[in-house]
Amino acid sequence: MTSAPVSPSRGRRSLPGGRNFGLLTAAAIITGLGANGALIAAAFAVLESGGDAADVGLVAAARTAPLVLFLLIGGAVADRLPRHRVMVAANTLNCLSQAVFAWLVLTGSAELWHMMVLTALCGTGQAFFGPASEGMLMSSVDGERAARAFALFRMSMHGAAIGGAALGGAMIAAMNPGWVLAVDAAAFAVAGSLRAFLDVSHIPTRVPGGGLLADLREGWQEVVTRPWLWAVVLQFSVVVAVVGAAEAVYGPLVARDELGGARPWGFALAAFGVGTLGGALLMMRWKPRRLLLAGTLCVFPLALPSAGLAIPLPVAGLCAVMFVTGVAIEVFGVSWMTALHQEIPEEKLSRVAAYDWFGSVAMVPLATAAAGPVETLVGRSTALWGCAALIVLVTGGVLLVPDVRNLTRRSEVKKISLPEPARGSADAEGAVGGLG
């Protein structure tokens, strides 16, 4: 393996604002607008078909289970096949499953098992799409402007999420939730069409490997040989699970019992969304030299919502806490993406992203399932203080890892490793091992 700098023509294509980045951002906005409304629509579709809260939970679990099951495979496939084709195939699956879901709901023939199977197909598509998308995004930006590009991309996604949830809620109030699902299906179709036009000529040709299992082992080795990487993945396996339990289970209960109902909790979640936009805007300008030190310090505020719910804070205080948390998580998110982009070889980006995602979601079902029994055992306030303490504990532990404290931003343009026979001739059709 030798290294060759990115050529000027390739650099122009991959800078923020270039063709690939524009297509990826536009497609992410479109699917974000559709998907966030569809999550609300799916829950109301279950309820309007005669289901109860347990049935809503079953449909939500049906989406999560295949995501956990297929995520690592999705990462390996995304580093083996052209990334844009994996993304388009996943969008096609999501489009078809949501279209059938919409048709069943609109015709009044949707049964619980129908909805579980169709949402499971959506989760499967996401398991393959996520690693491919992250690898494609990271391979489409270079140099000092990478962090700014990641911040802009994340800000666009968060804005679409807020707008999609608001639009979906308004549509559900005015019409059958099946129409929101139909809009989501159309959004996947449009986004998949945009992603089909991604230019992958800048991605080097892959040398065929030893199979899917060998690819997974290579990705695992990339993780375990980098202390900063596995430490943060382990940290977030706890942090995401704890935050998920606090915000998905305890938050609505506290809002109902202490704050006056669902509306205050909705305000708090909206404040978090606004905070993420502010954090992404901040990271478009701020470039901390010690990437992971800055990012990890900003994980500590994620303990604040659990503590605020444990007290509980009045609505205004809880909204302020959620806003600060949104800003902080974006500082971490952009710093983390920049570190992965800087340190991980391009041909392994999707596999590493898959292990990262897997670590973040694997414990969420367990934590949310345990939240109720833990509350019964120790009380809600104690459980929430325990959530806050766990976040502080694991984050403090990560700061003990020298590589987390010392990893610094590099200013040079990232180089792409090319196989010797393929230097300068990366062919999109033969990009065996890439997601795009």
Side-chain angles (χ1 to χ4, degrees):
M1 301 286 287
T2 59
S3 294
V6 179
S7 69
S9 60
R10 291 177 182 171
R12 283 193 297 270
R13 278 197 300 267
S14 61
L15 286 173
R19 183 173 178 274
N20 269 9
F21 185 79
L23 287 171
L24 288 167
T25 304
I29 292 172
I30 291 168
T31 51
L33 287 170
N36 285 278
L39 289 174
I40 303 171
F44 277 90
V46 174
L47 295 174
E48 291 185 9
S49 69
D52 56 17
D55 294 328
V56 173
L58 286 174
V59 172
R63 182 186 299 271
T64 305
L67 179 62
V68 175
L69 184 62
F70 293 114
L71 194 51
L72 296 182
I73 297 174
V77 170
D79 275 340
R80 177 170 288 266
L81 301 176
R83 290 192 179 109
H84 68 313
R85 293 188 177 180
V86 177
M87 296 167 72
V88 171
N91 284 169
T92 301
L93 176 61
N94 289 144
C95 173
L96 294 175
S97 61
Q98 290 295 78
V100 173
F101 196 172
W103 179 76
L104 290 173
V105 172
L106 289 171
T107 57
S109 53
E111 298 182 15
L112 180 62
W113 74 268
H114 292 148
M115 293 184 277
M116 291 180 66
V117 169
L118 291 167
T119 54
L121 290 174
C122 278
T124 302
Q126 185 62 29
F128 285 85
F129 174 84
S133 174
E134 191 160 337
M136 190 71 209
L137 176 64
M138 290 187 184
S139 69
S140 296
V141 296
D142 285 306
E144 295 184 6
R145 297 184 67 188
R148 185 173 184 273
F150 298 147
L152 177 60
F153 183 83
R154 290 173 66 92
M155 184 168 63
S156 301
M157 287 182 61
H158 292 312
I162 296 171
L167 179 62
M171 290 181 65
I172 292 168
M175 60 186 72
N176 191 304
W179 290 112
V180 181
L181 296 169
V183 169
D184 189 35
F188 277 118
V190 174
S193 299
L194 291 176
R195 288 163 177 145
F197 290 100
L198 290 168
D199 178 11
V200 294
S201 62
H202 65 288
I203 298 177
T205 303
R206 311 299 189 207
V207 176
L212 190 64
L213 290 178
D215 287 348
L216 288 172
R217 284 195 297 270
E218 283 188 10
W220 176 247
Q221 286 299 312
E222 198 68 35
V223 174
V224 298
T225 56
R226 300 175 186 270
W228 61 269
L229 182 51
W230 61 255
V232 173
V233 170
L234 285 177
Q235 172 199 16
F236 268 78
S237 69
V238 176
V239 169
V240 173
V242 167
V243 169
E247 296 188 1
V249 180
Y250 298 138
L253 293 175
V254 172
R256 182 194 66 186
D257 298 340
E258 306 287 347
L259 302 178
R263 190 174 183 182
W265 185 237
F267 287 149
L269 293 177
F272 174 82
V274 174
T276 62
L277 293 177
L281 186 62
L282 170 66
M283 293 305 288
M284 289 182 68
R285 296 181 174 274
W286 184 39
K287 297 180 179 180
R289 181 171 176 271
R290 295 193 180 186
L291 288 167
L292 292 185
L293 178 61
T296 302
L297 289 173
C298 284
V299 178
F300 283 110
L302 269 65
L304 294 176
S306 295
L309 290 168
I311 294 173
L313 291 174
V315 176
L318 186 59
C319 287
V321 161
M322 294 292 280
F323 175 82
V324 170
T325 304
V327 173
I329 195 59
E330 279 308 292
V331 174
F332 170 82
V334 175
S335 298
W336 180 244
M337 290 186 71
T338 305
L340 291 177
H341 171 267
Q342 174 178 289
E343 301 294 328
I344 305 301
E346 191 279 333
E347 67 273 13
K348 298 177 182 178
L349 281 172
S350 291
R351 278 169 285 177
V352 170
Y355 279 106
D356 179 23
W357 276 43
F358 182 81
S360 293
V361 303
M363 290 180 62
V364 171
L366 177 62
T368 53
V374 170
E375 179 187 14
T376 301
L377 183 63
V378 303
R380 187 185 301 162
S381 180
T382 302
L384 282 163
W385 282 117
C387 290
L390 273 175
I391 293 171
V392 172
L393 182 64
V394 297
T395 303
V398 166
L399 287 177
L400 299 177
V401 179
D403 287 355
V404 171
R405 299 193 306 271
N406 299 328
L407 184 67
T408 57
R409 181 189 303 270
R410 294 199 299 266
S411 60
E412 69 268 20
V413 174
K414 181 176 180 177
K415 297 181 179 181
I416 298 177
S417 297
L418 293 175
E420 189 68 46
R423 187 190 303 214
S425 60
D427 178 57
E429 296 297 322
V432 180
L435 284 173

